[in-house]
Amino acid sequence: MKKQIKNNVDWIGKIDWELESFHGADYSINHGSSQNAYLIREEKTVLIDTVWAPHSTEFVDNLAKEIDLNDIDFIVANHGEVDHSGSLPALLEKIPGTPVYCTANGVKSLVGQYHHPEWNFQVVKTGDSAEIGNGKKLIFVEMKMLHWPDSMATYLTEDNILFSNDAFGQHYAVEELFNDRADQCELWEEAIKYYANILNPFSALVKKKVEEIQALAVPIDIIATSHGAIWRDNPLQIVEKYYAWSQHYQEDQITIAYDTMWDGTKQLAHRIGAEIARLSPNTKVKIFNIAKINKNDIMTEVFKSKAIAVGSPTVGNNILSSVGGWLDFLKELKFKEKKAAVFGCYGWTGESPKILRERLTDAGFEVVEPEIKCNWNPGEEHFAKATEVAEALSQ
Ligand code: FEO
């Protein structure tokens, strides 16, 4: 049901405490999530975004309990991805002809997905605005590639609310909606996970967009995201974080990720970790088995790291498929200015370090020279190599 955000602006979205994944199974969700839609009632009634199709009946029913649907003057579709546009077909079936404000790319996305070219699209671009009465207006800001070509934000004057859509959001369920009511550890962990796994490839654009928003110097009292907590307590703190995260962010952390067959490669992973901890006591060390720990959670740690080490045994003249798939995702996230090292055990051919080196170089990492290629199980000479790897990564 609706919850007040400020004055005549209400949240009318869906909090889904049971959601376990997003983008199919490509993004793991650990603490639920939400699709935030908003209803503005000034002289004009405006709906900002909708919710995912599985919740469309509930969404339209809830909306109809609040207002006569025919009173909606227009809908703003900040983004065509299905989690925000999924209820448009059900809603527009009831109020056909209602204007839908979106970017030119938004039209392509919505028509491509729902095949309703007859919808009353009103194309907007950065700086365009719509009067909604009582001295207030909505100003549109294109957010191209943050994170889709059609993405857009909408700013409500006087109330100073930025409806930012995906930007600044988190896949995180907050029953009380606001950032000051959320568990702060979980909130920031989910915010950085969202950035690392969804926005990091577009960091250069994030930096530019944040500078553009700051240059506008408009007051922002609330950042009303489309997922997770709504930022009302010091809302610019998340903008400042995004600015830091967009500039090859790293902490004094090294992450070791591996898979193993008979624990030889696992032993190497832990020896490298122990040696980093010994040589560089201030460095945080995290060690993950790629086959057992969710890839999005590991990537969040990679995002925070200044260096990583990746290990796989050789199998069938290749690396383990778990590591191969993980490296595909790693490349997709376009991390920059991070070092990497490689290691792995083998029985008879031993290609894995070479393949890992090639794959990590291709993914944009600076792969250091020392590596561990271990025939059968590790012994003292391989553990000595682990010291060299730890030194090269810690520098
Ligand atoms: Fe929340 Fe890009 O969809």
Side-chain angles (χ1 to χ4, degrees):
M1 294 309 287
K2 83 170 168 78
K3 300 179 186 195
Q4 189 189 30
I5 300 301
K6 185 179 182 180
N7 297 331
N8 298 323
V9 180
D10 290 309
W11 173 94
I12 185 137
K14 170 72 183 178
I15 298 176
D16 190 343
W17 285 91
E18 296 184 5
L19 196 64
E20 293 176 312
S21 67
F22 189 76
H23 286 163
D26 205 44
Y27 187 104
S28 63
I29 290 179
N30 299 330
H31 305 100
S33 187
S34 66
Q35 298 122 46
N36 301 332
Y38 302 93
L39 184 63
I40 306 172
R41 279 175 282 192
E42 296 294 348
E43 286 172 45
K44 289 196 173 164
T45 300
V46 182
L47 177 67
I48 309 261
D49 293 319
T50 70
V51 305
W52 190 27
H55 310 301
S56 63
T57 304
E58 181 185 340
F59 175 75
V60 174
D61 286 353
N62 282 342
L63 201 54
K65 281 177 200 152
E66 287 304 318
I67 48 167
D68 180 341
L69 296 179
N70 292 300
D71 288 345
I72 296 176
D73 289 286
F74 64 91
I75 300 164
V76 175
N78 275 323
H79 177 27
E81 197 167 4
V82 69
D83 48 327
H84 310 296
S85 67
S87 300
L88 280 176
L91 182 59
L92 287 171
E93 204 175 292
K94 293 186 182 297
I95 47 170
T98 304
V100 177
Y101 286 61
C102 63
T103 62
N105 282 323
V107 178
K108 286 185 204 167
S109 161
L110 293 170
V111 172
Q113 291 179 90
Y114 303 114
H115 307 287
H116 283 290
E118 79 283 4
W119 284 356
N120 182 7
F121 294 111
Q122 301 294 314
V123 174
V124 295
K125 54 187 188 317
T126 296
D128 287 351
S129 62
E131 302 286 342
I132 58 170
N134 299 326
K136 299 181 184 182
K137 64 180 173 180
L138 294 171
I139 302 173
F140 305 105
V141 184
E142 287 166 276
M143 303 278 276
K144 197 168 180 181
M145 294 319 296
L146 299 177
H147 67 126
W148 273 25
D150 71 303
S151 297
M152 176 173 90
T154 299
Y155 178 73
L156 171 59
T157 64
E158 304 304 315
D159 289 324
N160 307 332
I161 301 175
L162 181 69
F163 299 97
S164 63
N165 198 263
D166 285 329
F168 312 123
Q170 332 86 47
H171 280 303
Y172 181 39
V174 184
E175 193 65 29
E176 305 89 342
L177 294 184
F178 295 103
N179 68 311
D180 50 291
R181 300 297 303 278
D183 177 312
Q184 296 302 299
C185 288
E186 288 179 354
L187 169 64
W188 285 105
E189 200 50 39
E190 294 300 339
I192 200 169
K193 177 178 175 178
Y194 193 90
Y195 188 94
N197 285 273
I198 292 182
L199 289 162
N200 191 67
F202 312 110
S203 280
L205 297 170
V206 172
K207 180 173 180 283
K208 233 170 109 184
K209 188 53 69 176
V210 168
E211 286 166 352
E212 199 181 308
I213 292 170
Q214 285 167 337
L216 288 174
V218 291
I220 297 176
D221 293 344
I222 291 176
I223 296 179
T225 60
S226 63
H227 297 293
I230 295 165
W231 302 90
R232 72 174 173 189
D233 175 39
N234 184 14
L236 293 182
Q237 64 182 310
I238 186 65
V239 180
E240 284 154 20
K241 277 286 182 200
Y242 264 46
Y243 198 58
W245 291 342
S246 69
Q247 297 172 76
H248 315 313
Y249 180 77
Q250 49 183 250
E251 299 173 14
D252 188 359
Q253 176 173 325
I254 297 176
T255 296
I256 301 164
Y258 71 94
D259 195 3
T260 195
M261 290 170 74
W262 296 106
D263 283 358
T265 302
K266 177 179 174 177
Q267 284 182 43
L268 293 175
H270 285 273
R271 180 58 77 103
I272 293 168
E275 285 300 278
I276 294 168
R278 184 179 67 80
L279 293 167
S280 181
N282 291 329
T283 301
K284 228 182 282 163
V285 179
K286 299 203 179 179
I287 305 173
F288 300 102
N289 182 325
I290 286 169
K292 295 186 179 179
I293 305 297
N294 178 268
K295 73 175 190 290
N296 306 109
D297 292 326
I298 305 179
M299 290 308 170
T300 309
E301 300 305 328
V302 171
F303 176 73
K304 295 179 197 166
S305 297
K306 61 182 181 182
I308 64 172
V310 181
S312 171
T314 299
V315 56
N317 306 108
N318 202 350
I319 54 177
L320 282 170
S321 59
S322 55
V323 180
W326 189 86
L327 287 167
D328 278 340
F329 190 50
L330 184 77
K331 181 181 175 184
E332 185 184 318
L333 296 182
K334 296 188 169 69
F335 292 115
K336 293 202 167 54
E337 295 186 14
K338 294 184 194 294
K339 284 198 254 183
V342 299
F343 60 97
C345 294
Y346 70 101
W348 53 100
T349 58
E351 291 92 339
S352 74
K354 180 172 177 283
I355 294 169
L356 290 170
R357 182 175 291 277
E358 288 166 0
R359 296 283 303 272
L360 284 162
T361 302
D362 185 45
F365 287 76
E366 178 204 332
V367 186
V368 298
E369 210 45 56
E371 66 177 36
I372 315 175
K373 180 175 171 180
C374 165
N375 196 199
W376 306 112
N377 275 338
E380 279 317 310
E381 63 179 297
H382 308 107
F383 293 140
K385 274 275 181 193
T387 306
E388 287 179 35
V389 168
E391 278 169 350
L393 292 180
S394 306
Q395 275 167 8

